[in-house]
């Protein structure tokens, strides 16, 4: 059934005769303390008629800086106007190919970063429960001494380095590099808890774990399927591209438990039970297979293992799908027919699909649907995976992940040796920085800590709380460094609070104090260091579509804040490894008198090493030239039409093969064989071998236009060039570099470890993809579920389905920790006492954990209270009225949050929704007085994750936030 805007909307509230918009709900429900604080800024004397002032006689010239919005991953261009060092005005860039002059609420408030006062202004230290201002030098000395003492006594793994998706590419890369010089893989960032299941699922299907097309390319889509994505609120500017496609005739389908603002734009909407994505997708494929709507030729040429998918899909008949997922047979068939008869079609997913204990199964199922329809590697098709932070894509590609080095090189000895060559340091010296003991590996045998995944951020608290005997490292975590991370964005806040109280040392490095500074009952040994915002430094960021963009520095750092890479350098000097870590990175004096690593040199360093994903062709010069020529790029194809960047794609989307001198234009659509590799074409990556179970994994009679090899082929090595007779195309310098890497066995040097780029260059010269030409695989034999299957959430509302769709058995070792599955699910039927499925998501006004955006007066005015959306049926059953203060109680540890009820038919009976951007209250207690003076956000509220529960994806340790249980009762 298709709902009309009049019949249901996430913005409509009803109950006891009440009907109003969400804005009216917030306005009429009474101001929270934060809202009152905002209102208090505007006295009657301030409310007066305004007139244009005469320009000051000594006003300096106005400079216009080009920057990029620091919120979601669309990558909107912004013109920032600066006068006398002050950010005086901003405009959305009308000539920018992504946002075309548009801003969302968050983007329109960017200038607050440069004029806002609700920031950390100087270093602070907690002394007997009071914040004390200290100089930077003292802060670095004390923090350094404490962490070095822990390193010496408990081992390098006892300090956890938590990085950020808010770092630019260069800072994220440096922080990833940091692990080798400190000597621990206990390092991670936000991507773990937003799209790690995407990266794992998608990369293991067709080669790379990233968005295949672009927002702009959706103009060419004939169908758009959104599942677990509320783009209208989470990626508002992306909606102009979505609606442009719709105006061109594209069908818009939205699958979501909740009727969202995105659903209000849809041609067809289906509500499913949270946590049943795989049954729904398999139900769609059931109809596609039954009707012969699959693309048989495409499958034969480019897809492996679909017969095993058919066997699983056959189990998901319309009646079974309806029983498990709520979706009615006619709804599922309608979606299948719309996708099949409107090609090319794209699929869009976000955290509604990823944040599950089977998140990797969900993302692989989405990919399989697209492969069956032949929708991958075509303009208007693909997987448009919208990311949540301005640089979460780049930070994932280059930055601090607990299981990979930059460029997804993994943690093998070969990967470490590659990066040791790039850094020009001795591999054995790097290895010596790690704990020398061997530990039990996940798959058996003993493993060196250097080659073992670290503890993921989703479970850092277990690294503190678990007994020493249960952790696969020398000692538990003793110190946490939260560097640009909001802890309220993670589940199990009560356990985080307990862990914070047990830490020897807690360091928060951020423009804002964040709730990490105030959550625990700590009295001493907590440090707050004021980091600059991204508008007080410069460098590159990678948008969701893999495009890199250069940011100007808009203003000098405010107060006593310092850019992240400056702080990294200060700490590296204190720890004694600055000379090695910055060996080929120039250090300059900045305007504050600090020693600052040169951003351009950091780019050149990751250009030298990141061959896997093609972060090698985007030199600083190329990125800066594109930044000055936004207006020359076509707003659909993203290709420059004349001008200085003629023929290049905007942002040189990776892979941008070879060296910058090769002038590769970037790859706008992954796996598209309709154009030569040299012009942005590709095939599927050969990263899983050449055969499995006796069946070839290489492409069959499918190859990029202009390829000299007219069929599938493995990834390129020097030995393969020799067999083809193409080794003579290498230059003497390239040959020398290959021999240096390979030593006595140069044949084994491959396209990923050849520092000269010669193997890539020669392969592309002959029209071939350096990474080979294979089939995408629908069966991932290394995963616990080779074929994606449905498993009920640990806290399921359908306890009767557990016997048929059970979760996994408990694991003794997973990312260094024991992980519970069946013991939680089988403990008892939680749905009896906690009958409501609890989901969470974003609001248009706030970003991430919200500390930053709730500290901006204009945004804070728009959203003043934390709330829960609840259906009238559930509200009436619980004796809850619209606007009433309620307790939302979770099934673990008696956890509860005190929030306001918003009664709305936008959520179906049995489901409640809460936003995840709030913090500063804990189980009814207001923590405002614990913040440093003047640094608390205007708006505080309960964190929804205080009431969320245990549950992690078995492949990535992604947290479960979209299918847990709760109850709502009057406060």
């Amino acid at each position: 059934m298709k709902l009309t805007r009049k019949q249901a909307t996430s913005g409509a509230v009803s109950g006891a005769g009440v009907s109003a918009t969400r804005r009216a709900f917030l306005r009429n429900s009474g101001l929270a303390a934060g809202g009152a604080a905002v209102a208090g800024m505007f006295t009657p004397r301030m409310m007066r008629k305004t007139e244009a002032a005469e320009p000051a006689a000594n006003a300096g010239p106005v400079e216009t800086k080009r920057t990029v919005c620091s919120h979601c991953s669309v990558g909107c261009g912004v013109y920032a106007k600066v006068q006398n060092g002050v950010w005086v005005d901003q405009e959305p860039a009308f000539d920018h190919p992504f946002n075309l002059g548009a801003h969302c609420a968050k983007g329109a408030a960017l200038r607050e970063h440069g004029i806002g006062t609700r920031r950390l202004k100087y270093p602070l230290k907690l002394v007997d429960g009071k914040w004390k201002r200290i100089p930077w030098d003292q802060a670095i000395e004390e923090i350094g001494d404490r962490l070095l003492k822990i390193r010496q006594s408990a081992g390098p793994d006892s300090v956890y380095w938590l990085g950020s998706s808010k770092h630019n590419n260069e800072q994220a890369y440096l922080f990833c590099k940091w692990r080798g010089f400190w000597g621990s893989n206990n390092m991670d960032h936000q991507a773990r808890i937003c799209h790690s299941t995407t990266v794992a699922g998608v990369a293991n299907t067709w080669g790379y774990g990233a968005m295949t097309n672009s927002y702009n390319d959706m103009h060419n889509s004939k169908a758009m399927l959104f599942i677990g994505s509320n783009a209208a609120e989470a990626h508002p500017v992306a909606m102009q591209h979505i609606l442009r496609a719709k105006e061109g005739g594209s069908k818009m389908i939205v699958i979501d438990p909740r009727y969202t603002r995105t659903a209000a734009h849809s041609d067809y909407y289906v509500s499913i039970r949270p946590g049943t994505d795989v049954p729904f997708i398999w139900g769609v494929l059931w109809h596609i297979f039954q009707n012969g709507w699959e693309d048989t030729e495409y499958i034969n040429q480019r897809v492996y293992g679909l017969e095993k998918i058919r066997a699983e899909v056959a189990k998901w008949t319309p009646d079974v799908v309806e029983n498990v997922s709520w979706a009615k047979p006619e709804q599922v068939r309608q979606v299948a027919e719309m996708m099949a008869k409107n090609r090319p079609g794209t699929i869009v997913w976000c955290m509604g699909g990823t944040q599950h204990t089977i998140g990797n199964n969900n993302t692989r199922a989405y990919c399989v649907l697209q492969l069956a329809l032949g929708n991958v590697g075509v303009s208007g098709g693909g997987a448009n995976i919208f990311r949540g932070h301005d640089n979460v894509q780049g930070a994932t590609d280059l930055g601090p992940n607990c299981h990979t080095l930059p460029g997804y090189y993994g943690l093998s000895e070969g990967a470490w040796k590659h990066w040791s060559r790039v850094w020009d340091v001795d591999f054995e010296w790097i290895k010596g920085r790690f704990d020398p003991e061997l530990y039990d590996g996940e798959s058996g045998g003993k493993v060196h800590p250097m080659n073992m995944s670290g503890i993921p951020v989703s479970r850092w608290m277990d690294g503190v709380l678990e007994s020493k005997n249960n952790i696969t490292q020398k000692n538990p975590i003793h110190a946490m460094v939260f560097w640009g991370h909001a802890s309220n964005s993670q589940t199990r806040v009560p356990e985080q609070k307990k862990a914070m109280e047990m830490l020897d040392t807690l360091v928060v490095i951020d423009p804002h104090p964040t709730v990490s500074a105030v959550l625990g009952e700590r009295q001493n040994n907590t440090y707050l260091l004021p980091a600059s915002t991204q508008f007080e430094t410069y460098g590159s960021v990678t948008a969701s579509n893999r495009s890199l963009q250069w940011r100007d520095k808009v203003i000098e750092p405010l107060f006593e804040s310092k850019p992240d890479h400056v702080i990294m350098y200060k700490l590296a000097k204190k720890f004694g490894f600055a000379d090695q870590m910055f060996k080929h990175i120039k250090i300059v004096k900045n305007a504050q008198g600090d020693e600052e690593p040169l951003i351009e040199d950091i780019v050149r360093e990751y250009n030298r090493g990141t061959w896997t994903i093609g972060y090698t062709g985007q030199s600083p010069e190329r990125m800066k030239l594109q930044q000055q020529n936004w207006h020359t790029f076509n707003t659909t194809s993203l290709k420059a039409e004349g001008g200085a960047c003629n023929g290049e794609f905007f942002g040189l989307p990776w892979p941008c093969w070879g060296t910058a001198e090769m002038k590769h234009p970037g790859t706008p659509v992954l796996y598209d064989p309709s154009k030569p590799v040299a012009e942005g074409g590709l095939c599927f990556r050969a990263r899983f071998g050449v055969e499995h179970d006796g069946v070839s994994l290489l492409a069959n009679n499918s190859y990029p236009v202009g390829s000299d090899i007219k069929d599938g082929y493995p990834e390129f090595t020097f030995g393969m060039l020799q067999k083809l007779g193409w080794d003579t195309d290498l230059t003497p310098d390239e040959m020398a570099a290959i021999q240096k890497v390979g030593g006595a066995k140069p044949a084994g040097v491959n396209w990923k470890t050849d520092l000269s780029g010669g193997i890539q260059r020669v392969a592309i010269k002959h029209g071939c993809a350096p990474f080979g030409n294979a089939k995408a695989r629908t069966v991932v034999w290394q995963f616990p579920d080779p074929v994606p299957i449905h498993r009920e959430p640990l806290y399921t509302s359908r306890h009767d389905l557990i016997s048929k769709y059970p979760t996994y058995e408990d694991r003794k070792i997973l990312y260094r920790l024991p992980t519970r599955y069946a013991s939680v699910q089988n403990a008892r039927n939680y749905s009896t006492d906690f009958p409501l499925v609890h989901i969470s998501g974003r609001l248009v006004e706030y970003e991430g954990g919200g500390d930053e955006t709730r500290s901006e007066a204009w945004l804070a005015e728009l959203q003043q209270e934390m709330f829960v959306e609840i259906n009238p049926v559930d509200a009436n059953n619980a004796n809850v009225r619209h606007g009433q203060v309620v307790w939302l109680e979770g099934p673990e540890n008696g956890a509860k949050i005190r929030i306001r009820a918003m009664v709305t038919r936008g959520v179906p009976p049995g489901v409640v929704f809460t936003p995840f951007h709030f913090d500063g209250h804990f189980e009814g207690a207001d923590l405002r007085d614990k913040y440093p003076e003047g640094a608390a956000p205007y708006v505080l509220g309960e964190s929804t994750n205080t009431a969320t529960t245990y549950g992690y994806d078995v492949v990535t340790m992604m947290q479960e936030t979209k299918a847990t249980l709760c109850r709502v009762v009057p406060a």
Side-chain angles (χ1 to χ4, degrees):
M1 180 181 70
K2 178 184 175 183
L3 296 180
T4 67
R5 177 69 171 175
K6 185 176 181 180
Q7 289 171 321
T9 170
S10 65
V13 297
S14 62
V18 177
S19 180
T21 63
R22 190 172 76 196
R23 185 65 46 74
F25 158 73
L26 291 167
R27 183 175 63 244
N28 295 333
S29 63
L31 292 176
V38 175
M41 294 188 300
F42 304 103
T43 66
R45 292 182 60 190
M46 294 171 68
M47 308 255 184
R48 60 183 184 270
K49 182 178 179 181
T50 61
E51 296 179 359
E54 292 295 326
N58 61 347
V62 175
E63 296 181 83
T64 299
K65 308 285 189 177
R66 295 185 178 217
T67 188
V68 179
C69 180
S70 61
H71 292 298
C72 83
S73 63
V74 175
C76 298
V78 180
Y79 285 114
K81 298 185 178 181
V82 179
Q83 189 173 39
N84 295 333
V86 177
W87 191 350
V88 297
D89 193 14
Q90 74 172 76
E91 293 178 359
F94 285 87
D95 57 353
H96 192 281
F98 289 168
N99 58 308
L100 308 173
H103 258 343
C104 71
K106 295 184 289 288
L110 284 179
R111 193 171 69 95
E112 192 80 5
H113 289 274
I115 63 173
T117 59
R118 294 277 172 162
R119 281 175 55 171
L120 283 174
K121 300 175 180 65
Y122 31 73
L124 293 167
K125 174 185 178 182
L126 194 63
V127 180
D128 297 329
K130 302 293 182 183
W131 293 110
K132 175 185 176 183
R133 180 177 181 176
I134 58 175
W136 264 102
D137 288 348
Q138 179 184 341
I140 295 295
E141 283 298 310
E142 289 190 18
I143 291 168
D145 287 342
R146 297 191 67 85
L147 298 187
L148 286 171
K149 183 178 179 182
I150 291 169
R151 189 182 193 283
Q152 183 175 11
S153 63
D157 287 324
S158 288
V159 177
Y160 197 103
W161 299 95
L162 182 45
S164 183
S165 300
K166 307 303 288 186
H167 289 151
N168 62 29
N169 281 326
E170 293 69 44
Q171 293 161 343
Y173 164 79
L174 272 187
F175 205 53
C176 188
K177 183 179 180 181
W178 183 276
R179 67 178 350 121
F181 295 84
W182 175 263
S184 173
N185 291 326
N186 278 341
M187 167 179 280
D188 215 357
H189 71 117
Q190 286 96 326
R192 180 70 47 188
I193 56 174
C194 60
H195 273 290
S196 61
T197 46
T198 289
V199 175
V202 178
N204 278 283
T205 298
W206 48 52
Y208 284 142
M211 184 164 167
T212 63
N213 293 48
S214 69
Y215 300 103
N216 301 64
D217 184 64
M218 292 177 75
H219 304 170
N220 300 313
S221 300
K222 300 304 180 186
M224 301 175 289
L225 175 62
F226 293 77
I227 184 164
S229 167
N230 182 13
E233 295 211 62
H235 304 87
V237 176
M239 284 301 293
Q240 68 176 318
H241 299 293
I242 295 161
L243 295 177
R244 181 166 165 182
K246 197 175 177 209
E247 289 168 358
S250 181
K251 304 298 182 184
M252 183 175 177
I253 307 160
V254 173
I255 315 300
D256 201 295
R258 174 173 170 250
Y259 193 79
T260 63
R261 293 183 179 184
T262 306
H265 290 284
S266 68
D267 295 291
Y268 201 75
Y269 165 69
V270 182
S271 176
I272 63 172
R273 180 168 69 96
T276 61
D277 299 56
V278 172
F280 178 81
I281 295 295
W282 283 173
V284 171
L285 265 178
W286 187 91
H287 286 287
I288 289 170
F289 291 154
Q290 284 285 311
N291 288 279
W293 290 334
E294 69 270 33
D295 189 331
T296 304
E297 181 182 12
Y298 182 96
I299 292 166
N300 289 338
Q301 291 183 329
R302 305 192 68 189
V303 182
Y304 167 85
L306 205 65
E307 65 281 356
K308 293 186 179 180
I309 298 294
R310 288 181 187 272
E312 178 64 24
V313 167
K315 304 172 186 177
W316 292 96
T317 55
D319 58 323
V320 176
V321 173
E322 181 178 17
N323 177 44
V324 176
S325 76
W326 294 346
K328 297 185 183 303
E330 62 268 25
Q331 292 178 312
V332 181
R333 179 187 165 87
Q334 180 69 14
V335 172
E337 189 166 358
M338 290 175 76
M339 289 296 291
K341 294 186 177 180
N342 296 277
R343 293 186 241 189
T346 188
I347 187 167
V348 177
W349 73 82
C350 294
M351 296 190 326
T354 64
Q355 289 184 332
H356 294 274
T357 52
I358 58 166
N360 83 87
N361 286 9
N362 291 347
T363 62
R364 288 188 289 136
Y366 307 152
C367 294
V368 172
L369 173 62
Q370 288 294 80
L371 289 170
L373 292 171
N375 274 333
V376 184
V378 295
S379 180
N384 280 308
I385 308 153
F386 295 179
R387 304 302 294 265
H389 290 283
D390 60 321
N391 198 43
V392 67
Q393 183 62 59
T396 306
D397 298 335
L398 294 169
N401 303 300
C402 70
H403 65 299
T404 66
L405 291 168
Y408 309 102
Y409 271 82
L411 299 173
S412 67
E413 181 173 304
W416 278 106
K417 285 183 175 179
H418 169 75
W419 281 104
S420 295
R421 287 191 291 268
V422 175
W423 299 331
D424 191 20
V425 295
D426 180 61
F427 165 74
E428 293 297 334
W429 180 82
I430 288 282
K431 185 176 182 179
R433 299 290 296 169
F434 286 76
D435 175 7
E437 295 185 31
L438 302 181
Y439 298 88
D440 291 336
E442 293 180 15
S443 303
K446 296 292 184 178
V447 182
H448 191 281
M450 183 185 207
N451 311 120
M452 177 192 299
S453 294
I455 295 171
V457 60
S458 53
R459 301 198 61 194
W460 75 265
M461 71 291 275
D462 293 319
V464 179
L465 299 174
E466 278 284 357
S467 69
K468 180 178 177 179
N469 294 335
N470 287 339
I471 303 180
T472 314
Q473 61 182 45
K474 188 174 183 179
N475 280 296
I477 294 168
H478 291 8
M480 281 295 299
V481 181
F482 286 94
W483 205 320
H485 181 87
S487 57
N488 61 305
S489 62
Q490 291 182 228
T491 56
R492 302 169 58 210
V493 168
E495 284 92 337
Q496 288 193 72
K497 178 178 183 293
K498 183 178 179 181
M500 287 175 183
E501 292 165 350
M502 291 177 61
L503 290 169
D504 173 275
T505 303
L506 173 63
V507 182
V508 176
I509 308 175
D510 201 279
H512 299 269
T514 79
V515 75
S516 303
V518 301
L519 183 60
E521 299 299 325
R522 295 180 63 84
Q523 297 295 305
N524 295 287
N525 304 327
T526 300
Y527 296 85
L528 306 182
L529 300 183
S532 303
T533 70
Q534 285 299 310
F535 302 104
E536 294 153 276
T537 185
Y538 71 104
S540 69
V541 287
T542 305
S544 193
N545 74 311
R546 297 169 287 105
S547 284
L548 278 70
Q549 297 188 75
W550 195 261
R551 274 186 180 137
D552 290 339
K553 179 192 287 187
V554 177
I555 53 172
E556 292 298 326
L558 289 184
F559 311 114
E560 292 183 18
S561 69
K562 298 185 186 299
D564 294 300
H565 56 296
V566 171
I567 302 172
M568 290 177 202
Y569 184 71
K570 286 181 176 294
L571 286 171
K573 286 185 69 176
K574 171 63 181 176
F575 295 143
F577 53 69
D579 288 346
Q580 296 98 320
M581 184 168 171
F582 296 90
K583 190 172 186 179
H584 296 290
I585 298 170
K586 186 178 181 181
I587 306 300
V588 298
K589 283 282 187 179
N590 64 21
Q592 287 70 47
D594 286 315
E595 294 176 304
E596 177 174 351
L598 186 66
I599 289 288
E600 288 84 351
D601 278 1
I602 303 172
V603 176
R604 293 184 181 100
E605 183 169 285
Y606 66 66
N607 283 164
R608 287 199 297 273
T610 318
W611 302 100
T612 43
I613 54 174
Y615 264 81
T616 52
Q618 307 96 337
S619 66
E621 293 75 20
R622 293 187 79 188
M623 288 191 281
K624 290 176 184 180
L625 187 64
Q626 285 206 350
Q627 185 212 40
Q628 296 303 312
N629 288 276
W630 286 344
H631 63 285
T632 65
F633 292 88
N634 183 284
T635 59
T636 295
S637 69
L638 295 179
K639 192 172 187 178
E641 300 173 320
C645 306
N646 186 41
E648 295 179 356
F649 294 100
F650 183 68
L652 300 168
W654 67 260
C656 183
W657 296 115
T659 61
E661 291 70 30
M662 272 181 61
K663 295 291 185 181
H664 189 270
T667 308
V669 176
L670 286 176
Y671 322 120
D672 176 10
S674 71
K675 58 174 73 75
V677 176
E679 297 176 20
L682 268 185
C683 38
F684 290 130
R685 183 176 173 186
R687 64 175 301 191
F688 315 116
V690 296
E691 69 172 28
H692 183 69
D693 288 341
V695 179
S696 174
L697 298 176
L698 300 181
N700 177 28
N701 196 32
S702 174
Y703 44 87
V705 167
S707 174
D708 284 357
I709 302 178
K710 310 296 184 184
D711 211 342
Y713 47 86
E715 64 178 349
F716 275 80
T717 63
F718 176 65
M720 185 171 165
L721 291 186
Q722 287 179 310
K723 290 178 181 179
L724 292 167
W726 296 353
D727 56 310
T728 57
D729 292 339
L730 293 165
T731 68
D733 287 345
E734 290 169 343
M735 191 63 237
I738 290 168
Q739 289 175 330
K740 185 175 181 180
V741 171
K745 299 180 179 180
V749 177
N750 68 27
W751 64 283
K752 301 184 294 290
T753 57
D754 168 20
L755 297 188
S756 75
I759 294 175
Q760 284 195 13
R761 183 187 64 78
V762 172
I764 294 170
K765 176 184 176 183
H766 289 274
C768 296
F771 62 30
N773 179 15
K775 293 181 177 180
R777 61 175 182 170
T778 60
V779 178
V780 181
W781 49 87
Q782 300 96 331
F783 280 13
D785 297 328
V787 171
I789 64 173
H790 174 61
R791 295 179 182 272
E792 280 293 304
L794 299 191
Y795 291 88
T796 175
S797 60
R798 291 291 305 276
H799 202 260
D800 59 302
L801 294 177
I802 288 176
S803 60
K804 192 168 185 180
Y805 308 109
T807 188
Y808 306 98
E809 293 300 316
D810 291 359
R811 301 297 181 95
K812 183 179 179 181
I813 303 174
L814 203 54
Y815 287 84
R816 303 194 181 192
L817 294 164
T819 305
R820 296 176 294 143
Y821 291 99
S823 61
V824 174
Q825 191 178 72
N826 297 327
R828 68 183 179 93
N829 183 358
Y830 293 95
S831 65
T832 301
D833 296 322
F834 301 91
L836 302 175
V837 181
H838 182 194
I839 63 176
S840 63
R842 296 174 185 265
L843 303 176
V844 69
E845 295 86 355
Y846 292 146
E847 164 73 7
D851 297 287
E852 180 180 76
T853 42
R854 286 181 289 104
S855 296
E856 297 182 1
W858 314 111
L859 296 175
E861 189 273 334
L862 298 176
Q863 286 287 356
Q864 297 167 5
E865 284 204 84
M866 171 62 172
F867 60 91
V868 56
E869 292 183 0
I870 184 170
N871 187 274
V873 172
D874 299 316
N876 292 335
N877 288 340
N879 196 28
V880 166
R881 303 290 295 274
H882 170 68
Q884 183 177 351
V885 176
V886 298
W887 287 105
L888 186 153
E889 300 174 345
E892 288 184 356
N893 304 317
K896 59 184 181 179
I897 54 177
R898 192 174 189 272
I899 53 183
R900 198 172 294 276
M902 178 180 177
V903 182
T904 171
R905 292 186 176 88
V907 288
V911 175
V912 297
F913 165 86
T914 54
F916 61 73
H917 308 295
F918 291 84
D919 63 38
H921 292 176
F922 181 75
E923 297 188 329
D926 188 331
L927 307 180
R928 186 175 292 276
D929 291 344
K930 296 179 66 175
Y931 283 86
E933 184 178 358
Y938 291 117
V939 170
L940 302 181
E942 294 271 13
S943 167
T944 191
N945 284 316
T946 298
T948 51
T949 50
Y950 190 95
Y952 299 96
D953 177 77
V954 74
V955 173
T956 69
M957 288 290 98
M958 167 64 78
Q959 62 187 14
E960 170 71 84
T961 68
K962 308 303 184 188
T964 187
L965 297 176
C966 73
R967 64 182 171 219
V968 175
V969 298

